[in-house]
């Protein structure tokens, strides 16, 4: 086995189809590993990062890859991260065969190139993947200091085998109340947007999200034009697939809520919602989720994955939970002890103020 280090996307030795075939056979097979995601993200954020893609070969056959970049966003040293680190909900190496040997080879290569990095941040690795355990073993073998966070909650609604339970959920009075209210106000329609709708509805979605978060402590990500560009690039890539699930809920042709999500591998993914604040007293977001669940039932999807975050509203609509893991690996011991102290201080502050 050997590694090819790719720093220029124009020299990528994997075709679009070959990339996605490896992803389809991987432990972690989500839209966030696909070529469409990689291509859209790199096209948007290339100026802020340096491609550091490591492809693992068995003789002349690629069997996996570590989709990495070196972030250029701060002056705190060189940081290696997984591609999509600022947007993706599930990240992982793509190594579907001989995984332990592949991960060991990747870390041997990283150790042979310590001049290129000061810290490695690997966020949102699914706990169900063997990757995090193999990385920890590699760190111990190479005597690298690392930090591992507590599990990050990723709730989801399992539909397959639970259709009766899901129908009861939809018929709960608290979940039907928004539907009953809006139905009395006029014509209510939930629909999946098509390519001809994008010029109108993508900007409207951005504007709705910006307004929704304008008076909060967490301003909309779409205040940054780069994030709007990323969604436009991703939309253009996904329109050639069946994976984009961009929907709108309209009352008499007025958009009261949007959901920019995905339909991949027989699952719906909750990704980025927005709603019209003129209707906020009547729970348009709850109604949107109700329609998404109905759609998932009708199209026989296995689940609605609410991705990362333990927000209260998700608990009303989910029946299962996964977890993600964050890892930080340090080249220098003193950098590790500094970050370890900062994390301990942050935990003490949260405990004190909570």
């Amino acid at each position: 086995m050997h590694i090819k280090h790719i720093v220029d996307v124009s020299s990528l030795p994997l075709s679009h189809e070959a990339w996605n075939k490896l992803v389809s056979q991987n432990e972690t097979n989500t839209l966030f590993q696909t070529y469409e995601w990689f291509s859209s993200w790199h096209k948007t954020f290339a100026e802020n990062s340096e491609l550091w893609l490591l492809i693992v070969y068995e003789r002349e056959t690629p069997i996996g890859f570590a989709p990495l970049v070196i972030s250029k966003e701060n002056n705190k040293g060189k940081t290696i991260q997984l591609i999509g680190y600022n947007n993706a909900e599930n990240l992982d190496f793509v190594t579907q065969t001989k995984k332990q040997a592949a991960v060991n080879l990747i870390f041997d290569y990283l150790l042979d190139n310590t001049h290129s990095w000061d810290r490695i941040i690997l966020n949102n690795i699914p706990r169900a993947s063997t990757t995090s355990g193999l990385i920890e073993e590699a760190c111990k073998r190479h005597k690298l200091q690392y930090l591992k966070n507590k599990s990050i909650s990723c709730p989801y609604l399992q539909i397959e085998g639970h259709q009766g339970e899901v129908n009861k959920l939809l018929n709960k009075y608290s979940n039907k109340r928004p539907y009953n209210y809006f139905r009395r106000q006029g014509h209510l329609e939930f629909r999946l947007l098509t390519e001809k709708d994008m010029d109108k509805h993508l900007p409207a979605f951005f504007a709705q999200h910006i307004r929704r978060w304008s008076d909060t402590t967490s301003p909309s990500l779409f205040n940054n034009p780069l994030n709007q560009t990323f969604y436009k690039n991703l939309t253009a890539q996904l329109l050639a697939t069946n994976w984009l699930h961009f929907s709108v809920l309209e009352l008499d042709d007025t958009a009261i809520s949007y959901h920019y999500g995905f339909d991949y591998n027989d699952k719906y993914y909750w990704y980025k919602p927005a709603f019209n604040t003129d209707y906020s007293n009547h729970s348009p977001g709850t109604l949107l989720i109700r329609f998404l669940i109905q759609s998932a039932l009708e199209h026989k999807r296995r689940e609605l994955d609410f991705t990362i975050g333990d927000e209260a509203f998700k608990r009303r609509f989910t029946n299962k939970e996964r977890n993600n893991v964050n890892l930080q690996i340090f080249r220098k011991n003193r950098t590790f002890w500094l970050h370890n102290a900062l994390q301990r201080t942050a935990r003490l502050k949260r405990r004190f103020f909570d």
Side-chain angles (χ1 to χ4, degrees), residues 5-7 9 19 38 41-43 45-54 66-73 77-86 91 93 110 116-122:
H5 181 181
I6 308 300
V7 296
V9 72
W19 179 295
F38 157 73
W41 192 90
H42 184 265
K43 182 178 179 181
F45 298 105
E47 290 187 6
N48 297 326
S49 60
E50 173 188 336
L51 184 63
W52 228 75
L53 178 64
L54 304 181
L68 302 170
V69 291
I70 296 181
S71 173
K72 300 177 182 177
E73 294 182 350
K78 297 177 181 178
T79 301
I80 289 182
Q81 303 195 66
L82 286 157
I83 287 168
Y85 61 87
N86 56 342
L91 295 168
F93 295 166
L110 289 168
S116 297
W117 58 273
D118 298 293
R119 184 167 53 137
I120 302 171
I121 300 177
L122 304 174

Side-chain angles (χ1 to χ4, degrees), residues 92-208:
D92 205 347
F93 295 166
V94 176
T95 51
Q96 87 284 14
T97 61
K98 300 186 177 179
K99 185 160 186 174
Q100 183 169 10
V103 172
N104 287 341
L105 189 64
I106 288 165
F107 268 79
D108 288 345
Y109 190 88
L110 289 168
L111 264 293
D112 287 341
N113 291 271
T114 51
H115 62 278
S116 297
W117 58 273
D118 298 293
R119 184 167 53 137
I120 302 171
I121 300 177
L122 304 174
N123 284 348
N124 286 326
I125 297 175
R127 181 174 284 279
S129 168
T130 57
T131 300
S132 62
L134 291 173
I135 289 171
E136 289 183 74
E137 290 176 13
C139 287
K140 291 171 184 175
R141 187 173 64 256
H142 289 292
K143 296 182 171 53
L144 287 170
Q145 297 279 16
Y146 68 94
L147 294 173
K148 181 179 179 180
N149 75 312
K150 292 183 179 178
S151 295
I152 302 164
S153 176
C154 305
Y156 65 100
L157 176 65
Q158 184 173 328
I159 297 171
E160 188 175 56
H162 295 262
Q163 288 86 346
E165 175 189 335
V166 173
N167 277 311
K168 286 182 182 179
L169 176 69
L170 293 175
N171 288 318
K172 286 180 64 176
Y173 173 74
S174 59
N175 294 333
K176 289 184 69 175
R177 185 172 52 200
Y179 173 72
N180 293 334
Y181 169 80
F182 282 106
R183 190 177 56 173
R184 291 193 298 266
Q185 307 311 307
H187 177 67
L188 188 64
E189 182 181 10
F190 173 81
R191 63 189 179 94
L192 192 62
L193 296 170
T194 63
E195 184 172 0
K196 65 182 177 61
D197 296 315
M198 295 302 159
D199 287 346
K200 173 184 175 182
H201 285 280
L202 201 54
F205 163 66
F206 296 150
Q208 196 175 93

